[in-house]
Amino acid sequence: MDVKQISQMIDHTQLKAFAEKKDFEKLCSEAKEYGFKMVAINPYPTKLCSELLKGTGVNVGAAIAFPLGQTTIEDKLNETLQAIKNGADEIDYVINIGKLKEKDYDYMELEMKGIVEICRKNNVISKVIFENCYLTKDEITKMSEIAFKVEPDFIKTSTGFGTGGALVEDVKLMKSVVKDKIKVKAAGGIRDLKTFMEMVEAGAERIGTSSGISIIKEFKGEKIESIKENY
């Protein structure tokens, strides 16, 4: 892999509750400079980031029902539509984890179908966040099977705000179910090149991280500043 290939796998992330306009301006500036694939943000700054990144080739990704997933399907659909209206190129939504634990698989499929269909109609990439730290291996497998049927563009390990982040074993499990039909995004706790490469080797084709610059610098052999990000 070369620097460009690595950069194009990175979703450059700013999802903190206290992020200000200057933080999003910095995020977008860095994404342009390093050639990252996407900026991952909450819905509110979508319009700002869309304007800042217009014509750069960097996508704007809005996180829906983030980070808990505990909103109604109608709320998630409306949030998705509004984010797309404001310029989102990609949608990362959090599943209703409680409904999965209740084994209400019809609900999980209905929720996924609704969001994926909106994304398809608008030529927007869809990603489904499982939040694996709260799930059993059987639940991860079941969600992957539902995704195999519905066909979002990606299934994703984590929000980065739960009790744990991406695990190599989970990436491998998810990929083993969806195979080449759906891509896998790993996110949460990916702060260095070694972890990045482990996720890629396990089958991840997109990486969500706020440490993308450090990862690129490490790959290029440059000096790395201390990493304090949680995501």
Side-chain angles (χ1 to χ4, degrees):
M1 295 181 72
D2 59 26
V3 173
K4 184 176 181 181
Q5 288 173 314
I6 291 176
S7 295
Q8 280 291 291
M9 295 184 74
I10 292 175
D11 288 352
H12 193 39
T13 304
Q14 176 51 271
L15 291 158
K16 294 182 174 67
F18 48 82
E20 304 174 45
K21 182 180 179 181
K22 63 182 180 181
D23 298 310
F24 299 117
E25 290 172 339
K26 181 174 181 285
L27 182 79
C28 292
S29 177
E30 291 171 344
K32 288 188 286 185
E33 180 182 353
Y34 287 89
F36 294 136
K37 181 65 178 179
M38 187 191 87
V39 293
I41 55 174
N42 283 297
Y44 177 75
T46 299
K47 189 172 183 179
L48 169 65
C49 292
S50 180
E51 291 169 352
L52 291 171
L53 292 170
K54 186 176 181 179
T56 66
V58 180
N59 285 351
V60 176
I64 304 300
F66 193 89
L68 303 178
Q70 289 289 332
T71 56
T72 67
I73 292 176
E74 291 77 15
D75 285 340
K76 290 180 182 181
L77 297 180
N78 288 332
E79 194 174 8
T80 297
L81 285 166
Q82 188 63 42
I84 293 171
K85 181 181 177 181
N86 287 334
D89 305 292
E90 306 193 18
I91 294 292
D92 293 39
Y93 89 90
V94 186
I95 67 168
N96 189 318
I97 299 164
K99 295 299 286 184
L100 174 60
K101 296 231 167 248
E102 291 171 7
K103 302 187 187 315
D104 192 342
Y105 304 132
D106 288 340
Y107 184 99
M108 304 312 297
E109 184 175 336
L110 184 65
E111 178 180 77
M112 194 185 299
K113 273 185 176 178
I115 294 172
V116 170
E117 285 175 4
I118 288 173
C119 290
R120 281 184 189 146
K121 287 178 182 177
N122 290 278
N123 196 30
V124 165
I125 292 170
S126 57
K127 305 195 199 87
V128 183
I129 307 175
F130 289 10
E131 196 69 298
N132 289 339
C133 60
Y134 300 131
L135 306 182
T136 65
K137 300 306 180 187
D138 286 344
E139 287 165 346
I140 294 170
T141 298
K142 186 61 184 180
M143 276 307 301
S144 299
E145 290 172 348
I146 293 171
F148 189 84
K149 181 179 179 181
V150 177
E151 296 185 50
D153 295 293
F154 286 83
I155 53 176
K156 177 178 169 183
T157 62
S158 324
T159 63
F161 286 76
T163 57
L167 297 176
V168 167
E169 63 191 76
D170 288 347
V171 173
K172 287 181 177 178
L173 174 58
M174 294 160 77
K175 193 62 181 175
S176 72
V177 177
V178 299
K179 305 186 186 304
D180 293 330
K181 192 175 186 180
I182 299 164
K183 297 176 182 179
V184 174
K185 175 178 172 179
I190 303 170
R191 304 186 184 99
D192 54 46
L193 183 62
K194 179 177 180 291
T195 309
F196 180 99
M197 294 306 300
E198 287 174 348
M199 297 298 167
V200 173
E201 289 166 8
E205 295 183 60
R206 195 81 74 85
I207 304 293
T209 179
S210 55
S211 301
I213 293 173
S214 296
I215 290 168
I216 295 298
K217 286 184 175 181
E218 186 179 356
F219 181 81
K220 294 167 70 175
E222 297 178 9
K223 184 178 179 180
I224 306 167
E225 297 177 3
S226 61
I227 301 168
K228 298 181 181 179
E229 296 88 342
N230 293 322
Y231 187 82

